[in-house]
Amino acid sequence: MTSGTESVVSLEHARKSFGDTPVLRDISLSVAPGEVVAVIGPSGGGKSTLLRCLTLLERLDDGSLSYGGLNVASGGSYGEKNVLAQARQRFGLVFQNYNLFPHFSVLRNVMDAPVVVQGRPRDEAEAEARALLAKMGLAGSEDKVPCQLSGGQQQRASIARALALHPKIVYFDEPTSALDPELTAEVLRVIKGLAAERMTMVIVTHEMGFAREVADRVVFMDGGVIVEEGPAEQVMEHPREERTRAFLRQREA
């Protein structure tokens, strides 16, 4: 993170267990405005749980979470409902399985939250939703329902939905894991475009080449801890830790 800049999100000494199984063990992570952070590591290493805690889908057992100057959790205790509501306005989340409303049109999927949650005028929200869908290469698909789209198109629609809320940061949870290689390339192109616009992003991914190319910083997680983090080129090309080296060798095999 750039020193002297207030983080978009800051997580300190986070701990999370499911039953007797610790999943996050003293994790600290901050993301600066405009930074793209890729989180890599083996399955079961805690990557998705980290994202779920950052997006308030899971509660920390201990540690603190803040969005800018908004303190969301401290010592495992969370703020009031209005604080959590404010925090949710600051991020967007793109799931690996799209999570679009199946009976809503693509257009309504994108414009619904700005109208219902943020109270924005319907005509303004619709105009912006149409512009975002066009940016995602989905002009002409506004009136379709999700099942009429390919997986890649559905994922691009879900990215448009996340952006429609004007988030300070967008989280991606393995956004291409459900897609075949051709559709994966479509979605990665969109995310690369957002990175070029300096959208602040945290991307949990198994696409090592993508992490190397797009991320400013790579975080390698294993066993619920951050084993190594640093500039993307350093971590991907010259990892310091043997666990990182072993993981990358396995991915390239």
Side-chain angles (χ1 to χ4, degrees):
M1 197 194 91
T2 309
S3 60
T5 306
E6 183 174 63
S7 305
V8 177
V9 63
S10 181
L11 185 69
E12 294 181 4
H13 304 298
R15 296 181 185 277
K16 175 69 180 176
S17 296
F18 293 110
D20 295 330
T21 307
V23 183
L24 299 180
R25 308 166 184 254
D26 196 18
I27 294 272
S28 295
L29 179 70
S30 294
V31 184
E35 189 178 24
V36 179
V37 177
V39 183
I40 65 170
S43 297
K47 305 184 303 297
S48 288
T49 300
L50 170 65
L51 228 53
R52 291 179 67 81
C53 289
L54 288 167
T55 56
L56 308 179
L57 294 172
E58 299 283 356
R59 290 200 163 212
L60 297 170
D61 298 330
D62 197 7
S64 63
L65 171 65
S66 61
Y67 277 91
L70 183 70
N71 294 320
V72 179
S74 183
S77 297
Y78 279 72
E80 300 290 331
K81 276 186 179 177
N82 67 316
V83 172
L84 302 184
Q86 285 181 62
R88 290 189 179 98
Q89 299 277 329
R90 301 198 182 189
F91 62 78
L93 176 58
V94 178
F95 298 89
Q96 55 184 289
N97 57 349
Y98 328 131
N99 278 37
L100 296 167
F101 293 111
H103 303 302
F104 283 9
S105 69
V106 171
L107 181 65
R108 188 175 170 192
N109 262 288
V110 176
M111 64 179 283
D112 197 58
V115 173
V116 174
V117 177
Q118 296 181 329
R120 281 160 53 194
R122 180 169 290 275
D123 55 350
E124 175 192 304
E126 179 176 340
E128 183 173 9
R130 289 182 182 278
L132 281 167
L133 287 168
K135 181 177 179 177
M136 296 294 131
L138 292 170
S141 296
E142 295 88 349
D143 296 329
K144 293 180 179 178
V145 291
C147 67
Q148 295 175 295
L149 303 182
S150 72
Q153 288 172 322
Q154 288 187 63
Q155 193 59 293
R156 284 183 278 142
S158 70
I159 294 171
R161 180 181 61 181
L163 296 175
L165 291 167
H166 298 174
K168 302 284 190 190
I169 184 170
V170 180
Y171 298 105
F172 294 84
D173 187 7
E174 300 207 359
T176 60
S177 66
L179 304 177
D180 66 31
E182 185 178 342
L183 299 180
T184 290
E186 286 178 14
V187 173
L188 295 184
R189 271 198 301 275
V190 168
I191 299 173
K192 284 178 189 173
L194 296 176
E197 295 171 9
R198 306 313 299 166
M199 168 64 71
T200 310
M201 296 185 280
V202 174
I203 306 165
V204 171
T205 184
H206 60 277
E207 299 281 344
M208 296 300 109
F210 175 69
R212 184 185 289 111
E213 182 181 350
V214 172
D216 300 303
R217 179 159 48 115
V218 169
V219 172
F220 172 64
M221 285 185 69
D222 190 14
V225 299
I226 293 176
V227 175
E228 181 168 356
E229 67 176 304
E233 185 177 3
Q234 179 259 303
V235 174
M236 303 300 289
E237 305 293 344
H238 309 287
R240 292 185 299 268
E241 301 294 329
E242 176 51 37
R243 279 160 79 187
T244 316
R245 289 195 289 272
F247 172 77
L248 292 172
R249 277 197 303 271
Q250 183 184 18
R251 296 298 304 188
E252 289 166 4

